[in-house]
Amino acid sequence: MKTLFKKFLTIIILSSIPSLLFSQMWDYEQKDIEKIVWNDDSYVDLEILKPEWKEKSAVILDYELIHELKETSPTGIGHSKLKHYKVVLLDQVAVDNFSEFYFSKERTGIYKMYYKNFVGFRIIKPNGKIEIIDTEKEMIVEKDNYEVKQKIAIPNLQIGDVLDYYLFNYAYDYQNQIKQWEKSHGDYLFIFDRFLVPDKYPISKIKYEIITDKHWKLSIKPINDCPFREFKEGEGEYHFISESENVEALGDLEWDFYYKTRPWLKVYADWEPRHISKQEKEGAKTFSRREIDEKVLKDYMKKYYDADVSSLFGSFQKYLKKNNLTNLSKERKVEEYFYFLRHHFVNMHLMYDKYNNAKEREISHFSFCQHFIFALKKMDIKYDYLLTTPRILGDISDILSMGEVVPILKINFKTPSFIYFDGKFSRYDILPKAIEGVNCIRVKKSPDKRDFILSDYKIPTSNPEKNAFKANIDVKFSDNILTMNGKLSVKGQALPSYQNYFVSVFDFVIEENIKYNTKRWGDPSELKNGKMKDKILQMDQDQKDEFKEDFKEYLTVRLGVKELELNEVKKIELGMTAKDESFSAEYNCTTEELINKVGNNYIIKIGELTGDHFQVKEDELKREYDVYIPYPKMQSYEITLAIPENFELKGIENLTTSIENEYGSYKSTATIQDGRLVLKTNYKINVNFVELENWPKVAEILNTAFELQKKEVLLKKL
C-alpha cells in the first residue's frame, strides 16, 4: 500500500477550525479559508513530541477535521468539508513522499447545483520563514467524462520542514437526489464519514468537529478503540467536538481490512424535517447512537421480502418452451433464469451503450431480486433473504443504517445456491469475494406468514479448487531468446478481473442476442454499408488491438520483464455461464530478459514462469491484526523447457520443494523427460481469514512460492 499522502485522495473529507466562523461555510472563498486554517505561523518545537517519535519518518503535529451539513433552501442541502494537516518531515523518505499529491473528484453532475474545491499548501521552515505554494502553477489537471484528476508538486521541501495544507469542498445537493434516495431507502441518510485513523505516522493532536442545523439527527459510532470516544457540545446547539492526543501510528500491512481491524469513526446524519414530530425535532440537537434493532430489520423486510415484478417471467417461459427446456430441473431453471435476467437487464444494451459512448447502465440488485422472487414463487421454490455488509466495511453488527445492507437471495435447494447481481459478468451461485465468509442476518417467513424469523447465518467460503488458475507453458531456447507457447485459464473469484480487463462486448453480446431472440443492435452482419457499420467495425478492431496490448502488459508483469514480443494471442473461453466457467487464452511470445549468458553457458530464470508471488519479509511477520486474504485460491503451472542439442541442464534439484499445513500448501517437482525439463507447481491457500497467531504458517507457504520463483537453471555447453 502506498503511503497515506501519496495515494489518491477523494476530496470529500474535511478539517477543523474555530467553529464560530462556520455559520455558513458555503459562502467562503479560498482567501477566507486560508485566514482560518493559517492563523498560526509558529514553528513547532520538536521537544514537545514523544522522544521515540523523533526517530519516525514524519509526525502529524495537528490533524483537524470539520463537517458542516445544513439545509440551504427548500430545494436542497449544502455539505461543506474541510481537512487541515500540519506535518513535520524528519527524513528524506518523508520529504519524497510529501513532494507530490494526487487528488480525484467527480465532475459536477445533474444533481449538483453548486460545487467548489480549494486546496492550499505552505511550508514553515525551521527558522520560521513561510513559503506559500502557488497551486495553480504547480497543478496538473486531467479530465475524462466522469472524473477530474489533479496532481500538485511541492517544490523545495527539506528535512525539518513543516508542511501545512488544507482541502476544502462544498457541494449543494439538489432535492431530486434526496427524493431518489428516500424512494429507495425510506429516509435520506448522509454517510457523513467513515473516518479511518491514519496508519502511517503518529499524530500529536487530532480534532473532529460536526456542525448541523435542526433538520438533522446525527448517529456517531466509534469502532475498534477509536480515539474519538466522546463528543461534547461546541459553541452552538448543533455543534459537536471530539479531541485526542498522542495517537500512535498503526503500521501499514498487506491483507488487512482496515474497517475490520483499525480504529475508525462512523458518522451518519438523518434529514428528517418532514418525517419527525415536533417533540423529536426539538430533540434533534443531540446526537443518537443509532442501533439497527429487530423491529427496523423486520420493517425493512416488509418492503422487500415479498416484493416482486412479473414482466420478464412470461418471456422466460416462452424461451424455455421454444428451446425445449421446459423439463429442466428446478435447479437448472433457476440458473437459466439468472442468465436470462442478466441479459435483459444489462447485456442486451451493451452494444448500444458502447456505440454511443454511454456509461454502462446500472441496475439495482434490489430490482433484480424482485424479478427473481416472482419466478421463485411461481416455481414453488423456497428462499431466504440474507442481510449483510461487505467485510471490507466492517461487520453487520456495526451498521447504523439499512442503506449499508447488502441483500442476498439464498435459494433453499438441497445444496443451497445464492443470487447476487452486480453487472454484465455476474455469475449464478458465485458471490463477490467481499461477501464470502461474512456474518449475516437470515430472514425467513414465520409459519403463519405474518411475521419474520431472524437468525444468524454465515455465508460459506468457496474452496480453492473453485477459484483455480492453471497455466501450461512450452518453452524453447534459441539464439539467446526464449520462445513461449502458453495457455492459461482462470475461474471463480479471479475471473471478474480477467473479464473486465480482457473481454469485450463484441465477444459475447451478439451471440447472447441470438440466444435470447432480442434485438441484434449493432450486429455488422445485419447492417447496410455506411457510417454506422464502418464505425462498429472499427470499434471491434480497436477492441482487438487493445486486447493484444493489454495482454502484453499482463505478461510483462506476470513474467517480471520490461519488454517482450507478443506474436499471437487469442481468447478461447469467456467465462460467461456455468458451461463456460473459465476465461482462457492461448498465446505465443518471445523475450530475452529471462536469460543471462555466462561464457558459452546460459542461465535461465525458469522460476519467473511460475507466477508473481508475494514475499513476506522478516518485519512483516510481526503483525498486530488478523489476516484477511481476498479469497481461497489454487494456482498450478506446468512448464516444459526443451534442452537444446550440445547442452546439459544443471540445477534441477533446486526446483523440487514441498510445504503443507491446514492453511494451504506449495509443491513443485522437476524431472527430465525425453530431453525436456518438466516443472510442475501447485500453490494453494485454503482460507480467506487467518488468525494472528497462525500468520507465520501462511507466510511460510507464501515465501516458499516466492523462493521458487527466484530459482534458475543452467544450460551448460557440452
Side-chain angles (χ1 to χ4, degrees):
M1 180 178 173
K2 296 180 181 178
T3 65
L4 174 67
F5 302 97
K6 211 168 182 180
K7 64 184 180 182
F8 270 62
L9 300 172
T10 302
I11 311 179
I12 56 170
I13 310 179
L14 28 115
S15 149
S16 156
I17 21 208
S19 38
L20 279 174
L21 299 173
F22 283 98
S23 57
Q24 293 185 5
M25 284 204 296
W26 60 79
D27 290 334
Y28 279 37
E29 298 301 327
Q30 186 159 8
K31 62 181 180 180
D32 301 314
I33 298 294
E34 292 183 356
K35 286 180 182 178
I36 298 169
V37 298
W38 289 347
N39 59 2
D40 180 8
D41 295 340
S42 61
Y43 181 82
V44 176
D45 184 359
L46 298 185
E47 294 303 316
I48 68 172
L49 299 179
K50 298 172 69 173
E52 61 269 25
W53 285 6
K54 298 174 187 177
E55 304 301 319
K56 301 291 185 179
S57 182
V59 175
I60 302 173
L61 303 173
D62 287 290
Y63 186 16
E64 301 178 298
L65 305 97
I66 190 167
H67 289 273
E68 183 187 71
L69 185 62
K70 293 187 176 182
E71 186 180 79
T72 58
S73 73
T75 59
I77 59 172
H79 188 193
S80 303
K81 317 164 189 179
L82 184 68
K83 178 188 288 186
H84 179 212
Y85 286 101
K86 276 187 178 179
V87 187
V88 59
L89 313 179
L90 301 178
D91 64 16
Q92 189 60 42
V93 173
V95 170
D96 293 342
N97 285 340
F98 284 88
S99 292
E100 289 183 347
F101 284 74
Y102 297 85
F103 307 100
S104 179
K105 67 178 183 180
E106 289 188 0
R107 302 185 75 179
T108 302
I110 189 170
Y111 298 122
K112 294 282 194 282
M113 182 175 287
Y114 187 63
Y115 193 91
K116 68 169 76 170
N117 285 306
F118 303 135
V119 295
F121 295 83
R122 69 175 186 169
I123 303 170
I124 305 176
K125 294 292 183 178
N127 62 5
K129 181 181 178 182
I130 306 294
E131 295 181 6
I132 306 293
I133 305 302
D134 186 341
T135 54
E136 290 188 6
K137 177 182 176 182
E138 303 296 340
M139 183 179 293
I140 299 173
V141 178
E142 298 177 0
K143 298 181 180 180
D144 60 21
N145 290 333
Y146 308 108
E147 193 175 33
V148 177
K149 296 180 180 179
Q150 301 169 328
K151 173 185 173 182
I152 297 179
I154 311 298
N156 304 321
L157 273 182
Q158 296 177 327
I159 296 173
D161 289 347
V162 171
L163 184 62
D164 187 351
Y165 67 99
Y166 66 86
L167 306 93
F168 175 78
N169 162 260
Y170 169 74
Y172 179 91
D173 288 297
Y174 196 54
Q175 200 171 101
N176 280 2
Q177 190 177 22
I178 298 172
K179 291 178 179 178
Q180 286 187 3
W181 184 279
E182 286 180 330
K183 184 177 180 181
S184 298
H185 300 283
D187 63 356
Y188 184 65
L189 184 84
F190 229 12
I191 301 179
F192 237 2
D193 201 4
R194 290 188 177 100
F195 172 70
L196 188 68
V197 176
D199 61 334
K200 190 69 175 178
Y201 306 107
I203 307 171
S204 181
K205 294 181 180 179
I206 188 168
K207 186 177 181 180
Y208 198 106
E209 293 187 53
I210 306 170
I211 302 172
T212 68
D213 57 26
K214 63 182 180 180
H215 300 296
W216 298 88
K217 181 179 289 185
L218 295 178
S219 301
I220 302 174
K221 188 171 185 178
I223 298 173
N224 295 337
D225 200 26
C226 177
F228 300 124
R229 295 178 179 86
E230 294 183 0
F231 277 76
K232 61 184 180 181
E233 289 192 6
E235 298 174 3
E237 59 180 349
Y238 305 110
H239 180 195
F240 303 98
I241 303 173
S242 187
E243 299 177 85
S244 190
E245 295 183 353
N246 296 327
V247 178
E248 295 288 348
L250 300 175
D252 185 14
L253 297 175
E254 192 77 18
W255 293 345
D256 181 19
F257 286 161
Y258 285 10
Y259 292 112
K260 278 278 195 181
T261 61
R262 305 302 181 94
W264 63 289
L265 186 71
K266 186 179 285 191
V267 185
Y268 295 80
D270 291 291
W271 191 56
E272 298 183 327
R274 292 171 295 179
H275 302 295
I276 59 178
S277 67
K278 180 179 178 181
Q279 181 180 2
E280 288 175 314
K281 194 176 294 186
E282 290 173 349
K285 63 184 180 181
T286 60
F287 68 81
S288 64
R289 295 187 179 274
R290 171 205 292 259
E291 298 294 340
I292 301 300
D293 57 20
E294 189 170 309
K295 181 181 182 303
V296 173
L297 289 169
K298 289 182 177 181
D299 288 344
Y300 177 85
M301 290 315 302
K302 286 177 183 177
K303 182 176 181 180
Y304 290 111
Y305 191 93
D306 287 316
D308 57 47
V309 178
S310 63
S311 60
L312 287 173
F313 186 68
S315 299
F316 175 66
Q317 289 178 306
K318 293 177 182 178
Y319 161 77
L320 293 178
K321 185 175 181 180
K322 181 179 179 180
N323 292 277
N324 298 317
L325 299 174
T326 54
N327 292 326
L328 289 177
S329 66
K330 288 184 177 181
E331 289 84 350
R332 284 283 294 114
K333 284 183 179 178
V334 167
E335 180 182 345
E336 285 288 342
Y337 191 54
F338 182 92
Y339 293 116
F340 182 88
L341 282 185
R342 183 186 70 179
H343 175 75
H344 284 81
F345 267 58
V346 171
N347 290 9
M348 66 179 288
H349 308 290
L350 290 173
M351 187 70 79
Y352 177 87
D353 294 341
K354 187 74 175 177
Y355 180 85
N356 290 285
N357 197 30
K359 190 175 182 180
E360 184 178 311
R361 58 195 67 194
E362 298 177 358
I363 306 298
S364 76
H365 177 60
F366 286 108
S367 181
F368 193 88
C369 285
Q370 287 175 325
H371 283 80
F372 225 97
I373 288 170
F374 183 89
L376 293 174
K377 291 177 181 178
K378 287 294 183 181
M379 291 187 284
D380 193 28
I381 297 172
K382 305 299 181 184
Y383 66 93
D384 297 336
Y385 242 111
L386 304 179
L387 303 177
T388 190
T389 195
R391 61 184 188 144
I392 194 172
L393 295 181
D395 192 80
I396 187 67
S397 62
D398 291 328
I399 65 170
L400 295 178
S401 161
M402 295 307 294
E404 295 179 84
V405 167
V406 175
I408 300 164
L409 284 181
K410 174 177 170 284
I411 315 300
N412 293 326
F413 294 133
K414 185 175 182 180
T415 300
S417 61
F418 299 91
I419 302 298
Y420 185 84
F421 178 78
D422 61 354
K424 61 181 179 287
F425 295 130
S426 300
R427 297 284 304 282
Y428 171 71
D429 198 28
I430 294 183
L431 295 174
K433 60 188 177 185
I435 297 175
E436 280 200 358
V438 300
N439 295 321
C440 299
I441 298 171
R442 176 167 54 186
V443 184
K444 298 172 67 76
K445 271 292 186 70
S446 61
D448 61 6
K449 307 296 183 183
R450 296 180 180 178
D451 200 0
F452 296 103
I453 299 173
L454 307 182
S455 60
D456 294 332
Y457 184 81
K458 188 169 186 176
I459 292 178
T461 304
S462 57
N463 60 58
E465 290 75 16
K466 196 171 182 178
N467 306 317
F469 173 93
K470 296 182 180 180
N472 295 80
I473 308 174
D474 184 44
V475 186
K476 291 182 173 62
F477 168 79
S478 178
D479 299 327
N480 206 30
I481 293 175
L482 287 186
T483 300
M484 290 169 276
N485 287 296
K487 179 179 180 180
L488 62 83
S489 68
V490 59
K491 64 180 182 178
Q493 291 295 3
L495 181 60
S497 61
Y498 281 77
Q499 289 174 317
N500 284 314
Y501 203 39
F502 296 136
V503 177
S504 160
V505 298
F506 293 92
D507 292 329
F508 64 89
V509 170
I510 301 300
E511 184 178 335
E512 278 196 17
N513 287 336
I514 294 172
K515 177 179 179 179
Y516 295 114
N517 195 29
T518 50
K519 184 176 180 180
R520 293 159 64 177
W521 197 99
D523 185 349
S525 66
E526 294 198 337
L527 292 175
K528 296 179 180 180
N529 292 332
K531 291 183 179 180
M532 181 176 179
K533 184 174 183 177
D534 291 343
K535 180 178 178 180
I536 287 178
L537 290 174
Q538 185 60 52
M539 289 170 61
D540 188 15
Q541 185 58 50
D542 291 345
Q543 290 287 325
K544 291 174 181 176
D545 294 340
E546 184 179 341
F547 164 62
K548 188 171 182 179
E549 287 300 312
D550 288 344
F551 200 85
K552 178 180 178 180
E553 181 182 357
Y554 163 80
L555 286 177
T556 59
V557 174
R558 197 83 180 182
L559 298 174
V561 299
K562 294 181 180 179
E563 292 292 336
L564 61 77
E565 186 70 28
L566 181 60
N567 304 310
E568 183 182 4
V569 60
K570 61 179 179 180
K571 290 172 261 194
I572 308 301
E573 299 171 291
L574 303 178
M576 296 298 293
T577 66
K579 292 181 179 179
D580 177 27
E581 67 175 358
S582 302
F583 171 85
S584 62
E586 294 179 348
Y587 62 91
N588 173 276
C589 68
T590 57
T591 184
E592 300 179 11
E593 293 188 33
L594 298 177
I595 304 171
N596 288 326
K597 186 175 182 181
V598 183
N600 293 325
N601 305 319
Y602 296 89
I603 296 174
I604 310 294
K605 299 178 182 179
I606 195 72
E608 294 293 348
L609 305 183
T610 63
D612 184 19
H613 294 286
F614 178 77
Q615 180 186 24
V616 182
K617 298 178 182 178
E618 188 68 29
D619 60 341
E620 293 171 330
L621 285 171
K622 301 174 182 179
R623 294 178 64 105
E624 296 183 22
Y625 304 103
D626 294 328
V627 183
Y628 291 86
I629 298 172
Y631 53 87
K633 66 177 68 176
M634 183 177 75
Q635 295 179 1
S636 60
Y637 284 81
E638 182 171 329
I639 300 159
T640 61
L641 171 64
I643 303 172
E645 290 186 7
N646 301 318
F647 283 88
E648 64 176 336
L649 195 64
K650 296 289 187 179
I652 66 169
E653 67 277 3
N654 297 323
L655 300 179
T656 297
T657 188
S658 179
I659 181 174
E660 184 173 8
N661 57 48
E662 65 269 35
Y663 292 97
S665 61
Y666 187 82
K667 300 177 182 180
S668 66
T669 60
T671 58
I672 301 295
Q673 301 176 16
D674 300 324
R676 304 168 73 85
L677 167 68
V678 179
L679 173 60
K680 296 181 180 180
T681 68
N682 189 281
Y683 164 68
K684 186 187 292 187
I685 296 294
N686 296 330
V687 296
N688 71 346
F689 171 78
V690 183
E691 302 85 353
L692 178 62
E693 60 270 22
N694 291 316
W695 166 234
K697 294 183 179 180
V698 177
E700 190 175 9
I701 296 170
L702 299 174
N703 283 340
T704 301
F706 181 81
E707 290 166 8
L708 196 282
Q709 180 187 338
K710 299 305 174 184
K711 297 294 184 182
E712 302 171 336
V713 293
L714 176 68
L715 281 174
K716 184 177 181 181
K717 185 75 172 180
L718 295 176

